[in-house]
Amino acid sequence: MGQIYSFEQQKLPSNLKIFNGKLFVSKDKFKLGKQSLRIDWKSGAKLVMCSPIGIDKASDNKNGGVTAWIYNTKSISSTAVFVFKDIDGKEVGRSDFKLGFTGWRCYWQQFHDDIGIDKRVQIKDVELIFPDIEDGGTVYIDFLEFSPNVSWQKMSDAQYNVNRTDFSLIPDFMLYRNSEKKVNNVIYANDSDIEIISDRLTDWYLGNNIQSKGLFTDIREKSEFEFVSEGLKLSEKIKVNYSSDGTPVGYPLYPMCSPNKIDGEKIYQFRNFNEKILLPLALDFRKNNNEESLNKIKYIYDWFNNQGWADGSGLGTLCFEKLRSSGYFHSFFLVKDKLDDNVYQRELNTLYWFTMFGICYNLPDHAGEVADNLRALAIPKLIYALSVKDKHKRQIALTAYKAYMDNALGIAPGFFGTLKADFSGYHHRGAYNSAYYPHALYAGALIAYLLHDTPYALSETTVDNLKKGLLTFRFFSANLEIPSGTVGRFPMKQDVLQDLLPAFAYVALSYDKPDTELVAALKKIMNNTENRGKIMDYARTVNSNLAYTATLGEMKLLEKVVSLNIEAEGDVKGNLFMPYSGLMVMKEANLHFNAKGFSRYIWDFESSDMENIKGRYLSYGQLEYFDLKNKKKSFNPAEEKFNWNYISGTTVKVLSDNELIDRGGGSSGHRHFSDETFLAGIDGFENVSMFSFRMHDISYDSSFRANKSVFSIGDYILCLGTDIQNNDDKHNTVTTIFQSFDKAWKEKIDNGCILGDASLLYAVKSGDVVLDRDGNHSCAYIQHGKAPKLSGYEYYIIKNQDKALAEKLLTRKSPLEIISKNNDAHIVKDHKKGVVCGALFNIEKEYVDLIVKKVNIPLAYILNDDGNNINLSLCEPNMRRASKDHMGLLTEDDVIHEEKPFDTKIVLNGIFNIECIQKKVDVSYNKQRNETYVTISTIRGENYNLILKKQL
């Protein structure tokens, strides 16, 4: 930090001088330390910084530039200019800084990217030229630094511009701020309509007018009391203090991007007050009529504003600030009617800026929204719209807000968030069920409830999307736990569904009558005594650290809906393929399986420097199980001995911990894609489904490939792998059968071997089967050796632990015939059930003895012949949209690239009449060849069901 100018010395730095003004070291204002540089400037004044400390390194580095905090005492509609000169005194670049503000503002500029200074130029001197106006003024500068690395998170604000074209992570705040506040077809509403929405929101906070009282409400009430008490205790350190000119007196505050210490000095962030103090003060005022708490909030608002928390102020960056400001947003709604008019409007403008409400007037050409913006800002945006005082402007804002939410909760294209066509939920361009998506679903559900039965109610399609999203989330969850392949970087956070239970209640109440399907699903979850502890934990968790939802009204609404006279649903069973998650869900009453892969469109895993650092193999064909009856599961990362190389179902190279956490490979270190498009699944029938993908690691070892399929047929699952290969002669390649923390065993028999863990039997037909034991921990796997060439595996999972079935599956009397297991296809047939399952990789190959003879694009299918009709289900998985090697390379255009349909053509052996439930199909015949030709438009990896009837 040696290059920082903090102006803590008694004297001015000798290399600073001013023309037509005065310089002082002043204690009046400061951002770092206790002093700053005061500049009393007159018309056209010029501050000159000769060879400031750090300018050489800053000039030499690609990301070098200047940062500073600037305090303005009087807002003027004029601009100061930073001028940069080379060693010959020639101007090489300039940067405008507008002075239309009071209080502190942050200034971040990179020399090359933002100011346009040639990378070969050595900057020597810096000048700050003030505007040519009669009165002049006074500014203060502190924490001035010429840094070799100005953060990439920089953003434009009302004072200056940076060069940014990628707004995927840091939105265009200025575009939204300057949007014209107009909409087509304004929805007019009576004051009573607005009052209904405001009253519902107030009751959601306070719970006053929701008639419900139960265990979870009692828990929430006690936890809220503790939350408020702790916030009041912390607020005791805040003293309401104003200087003689009305300026709030308080220590410097910084945004989240700041370190905890600078030059040894402890730093306080706005976040500290947003998360722990503002909302407790607001709740204390509303619940206890504590005027002291109200006065403290008013002071904090003034203090924040003076420190730079204001309309148009970017604080250097708002990259993550908007996500940690819920205390500010929600406190405003609770106390706004007690604010003076000028403060009310000032904070309303600030709310408009921080919530990016202007996006409501600039809807994109496609549906969807980033999950972060939904979970953190959907409710604050509504608070803004409800708080606009002018009736007509409020109607415009609410109309725009409704349109925004309907669009945000629409089905998004490509990699864009949040809702996908299969009701996967996206964040970071992939399925993310541990966080982000469930929070976004919650926010959307709450908005649906608050607006329902008013002129601004969300559309029927939107409410149905929320309903489908919730029911799908319930389906892919094993009781409360999400599939481990969709945890993002939070592998310890699988129990999630309890956090979404209030959303079921909100959406159920958003229909004309409470939705019976949602209520039934909610009651089934709530009635399960095993879930009570987790739901109680949720009820007692009260904070405002991200998206504040932990209100008393939330618990009351939940209990109100659960008390409705609607019967709980029965056991949820069936199969579901989710192409946008690369996930196959196979669900029975007591057994739940998830199969997970990655592809050109589905990334492999996410990690950070400290989170999920060993999770590289989560999508390498993981076959996860939950034994709900015996409370066992296959993925147990919380266990000390859990080995991340041996995740059930995966085919991997066994690496040391240091190698496993290596962030080499692709330049992003995680979120890698493959170059293979084949990742398919078939929902099939009640007890028949399949999953298949071609695995190729293009990031860590491009020689590593495998074809992996899972066929679930009745009481057993066949796991089939072929063409496993890589050139790594240092590490063993294995396919994990299971990893167990209970008793496991292995028995060799004539035709293979049988293994068991606490829940399942496994019958392995071929391969070198290893069972490693260490106390109660064991790993069973098939050893493919080092640098395998076209290796494979074939093993069965017997769900009901029927050993006779396990043995039979390994003999010639097996009901299952494997027709093809090679690089052309994986095809199996259960003769007893009349079921054929196929994953067709090679479109040149014909199958003259099967009904599905040939296809024109790789696809998967299940054919079920019950003796009368033949049901053919198919999945053509190629999304046909943009992709890159890893997420970091995706451009904004790539992200919203629409999936394209394809005319899939199937040649059938035999003459059939064809019906398709989902869409029209074209059918033609060649009776001489005894062939039927079917053409169907396929898209997005969806499943299609065809009924084949033989022509007589």
Side-chain angles (χ1 to χ4, degrees), residues 155-375:
M155 58 172 274
S156 299
D157 68 12
Q159 271 55 67
Y160 66 99
N161 294 321
V162 302
N163 179 26
R164 178 176 291 281
T165 56
D166 180 0
F167 297 105
S168 57
L169 188 59
I170 305 174
D172 193 345
F173 277 77
M174 285 302 292
L175 171 67
Y176 301 140
R177 179 179 185 259
N178 297 330
S179 297
E180 186 177 4
K181 299 177 182 178
K182 62 181 293 185
V183 294
N184 297 322
N185 304 317
V186 176
I187 299 173
Y188 297 99
N190 298 322
D191 290 343
S192 59
D193 295 316
I194 310 301
E195 190 174 341
I196 287 172
I197 302 170
S198 294
D199 287 349
R200 282 176 183 158
L201 184 53
T202 301
D203 289 339
W204 179 73
Y205 285 117
L206 307 177
N208 290 342
N209 297 309
I210 303 172
Q211 299 305 313
S212 177
K213 188 73 171 176
L215 171 65
F216 300 116
T217 296
D218 286 342
I219 293 172
R220 175 59 54 82
E221 200 162 26
K222 292 174 184 176
S223 296
E224 183 184 77
F225 177 81
E226 295 172 1
F227 171 66
V228 171
S229 298
E230 182 63 26
L232 293 179
K233 183 178 179 181
L234 291 171
S235 74
E236 291 174 1
K237 298 178 181 179
I238 300 173
K239 306 301 180 185
V240 177
N241 186 13
Y242 292 88
S243 64
S244 58
D245 65 356
T247 302
V249 177
Y251 42 80
L253 296 177
Y254 285 85
M256 281 177 57
C257 59
S258 306
N260 294 325
K261 284 189 176 182
I262 301 175
D263 271 1
E265 184 173 338
K266 183 178 180 180
I267 295 302
Y268 294 90
Q269 297 179 353
F270 295 103
R271 174 182 178 178
N272 302 135
F273 303 89
N274 279 332
E275 289 190 355
K276 298 179 179 179
I277 294 176
L278 270 173
L279 194 51
L281 288 172
L283 289 170
D284 182 49
F285 168 68
R286 289 302 298 265
K287 288 176 176 284
N288 305 314
N289 201 28
N290 188 337
E291 290 291 329
E292 183 181 351
S293 290
L294 175 63
N295 290 333
K296 223 159 231 190
I297 289 174
K298 291 179 178 179
Y299 165 74
I300 291 173
Y301 286 173
D302 290 342
W303 178 28
F304 269 31
N305 179 264
N306 184 258
Q307 288 295 314
W309 189 271
D311 169 34
S313 172
L315 301 174
T317 180
L318 301 180
C319 184
F320 299 109
E321 203 77 36
K322 67 182 189 295
L323 304 180
R324 299 288 179 177
S325 304
S326 65
Y328 170 77
F329 298 141
H330 294 285
S331 68
F332 175 79
F333 181 81
L334 291 170
V335 305
K336 61 187 175 68
D337 294 337
K338 298 297 181 179
L339 302 177
D340 294 339
D341 288 346
N342 62 325
V343 175
Y344 186 108
Q345 191 57 50
R346 182 191 73 194
E347 298 308 315
L348 190 63
N349 292 343
T350 303
L351 204 70
Y352 186 90
W353 165 253
F354 274 99
T355 64
M356 299 186 294
F357 190 90
I359 194 176
C360 300
Y361 303 110
N362 285 273
L363 298 184
D365 294 331
H366 58 84
E369 174 57 291
V370 177
D372 266 340
N373 293 339
L374 282 170
R375 65 174 181 159

Side-chain angles (χ1 to χ4, degrees), residues 498-655:
Q498 70 274 8
D499 299 359
L500 264 177
L501 297 183
F504 282 76
Y506 301 149
V507 179
L509 294 174
S510 299
Y511 289 92
D512 293 338
K513 295 180 180 179
D515 184 86
T516 57
E517 197 173 359
L518 285 166
V519 176
L522 175 61
K523 294 185 80 166
K524 170 72 182 298
I525 301 165
M526 296 285 288
N527 291 346
N528 187 339
T529 55
E530 296 172 13
N531 298 336
R532 179 151 296 215
K534 294 291 185 183
I535 301 172
M536 290 171 66
D537 288 344
Y538 177 78
R540 66 171 58 98
T541 302
V542 178
N543 59 56
S544 56
N545 62 357
L546 201 151
Y548 175 62
T549 60
T551 70
L552 192 59
E554 176 198 54
M555 283 296 111
K556 286 193 170 187
L557 284 168
L558 177 60
E559 291 183 333
K560 174 183 176 180
V561 171
V562 172
S563 70
L564 293 174
N565 187 24
I566 295 173
E567 188 175 347
E569 70 180 353
D571 291 331
V572 181
K573 296 183 283 188
N575 309 301
L576 179 65
F577 177 58
M578 305 185 71
Y580 286 90
S581 297
L583 178 73
M584 184 73 211
V585 182
M586 298 164 282
K587 197 176 185 76
E588 300 177 11
N590 291 315
L591 276 176
H592 180 114
F593 291 90
N594 300 310
K596 182 71 172 69
F598 68 103
S599 72
R600 186 179 179 187
Y601 311 112
I602 308 296
W603 45 248
D604 50 0
F605 78 111
E606 182 184 76
S607 66
S608 69
D609 290 339
M610 300 177 64
E611 298 159 317
N612 198 31
I613 57 175
K614 299 180 186 178
R616 183 192 299 188
Y617 293 143
L618 281 172
S619 294
Y620 276 55
Q622 178 180 183
L623 183 56
E624 176 182 30
Y625 79 75
F626 295 85
D627 177 359
L628 301 175
K629 181 179 179 180
N630 298 305
K631 316 298 183 295
K632 305 294 183 183
K633 60 179 185 174
S634 60
F635 183 71
N636 297 282
E639 293 281 355
E640 184 178 354
K641 292 183 179 179
F642 184 78
N643 192 321
W644 290 85
N645 286 292
Y646 297 100
I647 299 173
S648 60
T650 60
T651 299
V652 308
K653 299 192 305 182
V654 179
L655 305 174

Side-chain angles (χ1 to χ4, degrees), residues 132 167 322 406 416 429 484 549 582 641 692 832 912 935:
D132 189 9
F167 297 105
K322 67 182 189 295
D406 280 334
F416 198 68
R429 316 312 183 202
S484 59
T549 60
K641 292 183 179 179
S692 182
K832 186 175 180 180
F912 301 96
T935 301

Side-chain angles (χ1 to χ4, degrees), residues 101-163:
F101 68 97
T102 58
W104 287 103
R105 293 295 185 270
C106 190
Y107 173 68
W108 284 6
Q109 293 272 269
Q110 290 183 350
F111 289 143
H112 306 312
D113 284 352
D114 299 326
I115 302 174
I117 299 174
D118 191 290
K119 297 178 182 180
R120 295 165 294 183
V121 170
Q122 180 64 56
I123 305 168
K124 181 177 180 290
D125 299 333
V126 181
E127 298 176 353
L128 177 57
I129 302 174
F130 290 92
D132 189 9
I133 61 173
E134 185 175 345
D135 295 337
T138 297
V139 301
Y140 299 79
I141 296 180
D142 204 1
F143 195 174
L144 171 66
E145 182 178 14
F146 295 93
S147 168
N149 187 27
V150 174
S151 173
W152 63 270
Q153 295 180 18
K154 60 195 169 63
M155 58 172 274
S156 299
D157 68 12
Q159 271 55 67
Y160 66 99
N161 294 321
V162 302
N163 179 26

